[in-house]
Amino acid sequence: MNRDEIFSHIDHTLLRADATWPEIEQLCAEAERYGAASVCIPPSFVARARQHYPQLKICTVIGFPLGANTSEIKALEAKKAVEDGAEVIIFSAVDYEANADAINDAVGKGVKVVVIDSDVDSDAVSCRIGTDNYDAGCKAAEAAMKD
């Protein structure tokens, strides 16, 4: 696999809370130049990036970085991200059932949804990334107790 093929599988990402538009613009230009799979940017930049880089696939995160927003806020943020032109959203649900409608609505509009660190009551999710925290805690305790 050559460099171009590798880069075509990479999400070029800048999610710092203090990111600026010039930094996002540079990220988008680099992604365009090198043929990145997508850019992953804060939701506040999605509309502007979509306007300036219509050919780029845009990914954003919902409730990032802490994921502690209420289900209602996360649903509104997901809806706004879709309206602004995000094609992929990364979502960490607070409540298994409460965000299912937001996820289903996004997927119904052609948006891919990746759920991390939690799950949501929807068969429409594109990918789930997480762990069983109880099982992981038991394994961590076992490892800590070894001599």
Side-chain angles (χ1 to χ4, degrees):
M1 192 178 276
N2 66 34
R3 188 185 77 151
D4 291 342
E5 291 170 322
I6 292 169
F7 209 71
S8 73
H9 295 280
I10 294 173
D11 298 318
H12 203 24
T13 302
L14 176 56
L15 294 172
R16 274 191 357 259
D18 65 344
T20 64
W21 172 245
E23 291 172 318
I24 297 296
E25 197 167 29
Q26 178 181 346
L27 181 89
C28 291
E30 290 169 355
E32 194 173 62
R33 181 173 348 135
Y34 297 115
S38 73
V39 292
C40 188
I41 58 178
S44 57
F45 292 109
V46 170
R48 198 167 181 186
R50 172 58 57 224
Q51 179 183 6
H52 288 85
Y53 298 92
Q55 70 287 356
L56 282 181
K57 181 174 271 190
I58 297 175
C59 171
T60 195
V61 290
I62 304 303
F64 186 82
L66 300 176
N69 292 341
T70 65
S71 295
E72 295 82 9
I73 296 299
K74 287 186 180 213
L76 289 171
E77 192 173 357
K79 180 181 178 187
K80 177 78 169 123
V82 172
E83 289 171 357
D84 287 349
E87 296 167 89
V88 179
I89 58 174
I90 300 173
F91 198 99
S92 180
V94 174
D95 182 299
Y96 178 74
E97 295 173 350
N99 289 122
D101 288 342
I103 298 299
N104 291 333
D105 289 346
V107 172
K109 293 181 174 133
V111 174
K112 301 254 187 230
V113 177
V114 177
V115 175
I116 60 168
D117 298 331
S118 63
D119 203 359
V120 66
D121 188 18
S122 173
D123 293 330
V125 172
S126 301
C127 177
R128 289 174 167 85
I129 301 170
T131 188
D132 179 326
N133 288 336
Y134 179 80
D135 186 48
C138 289
K139 288 180 181 174
E142 289 170 12
M145 298 302 288
K146 286 186 178 178
D147 291 340

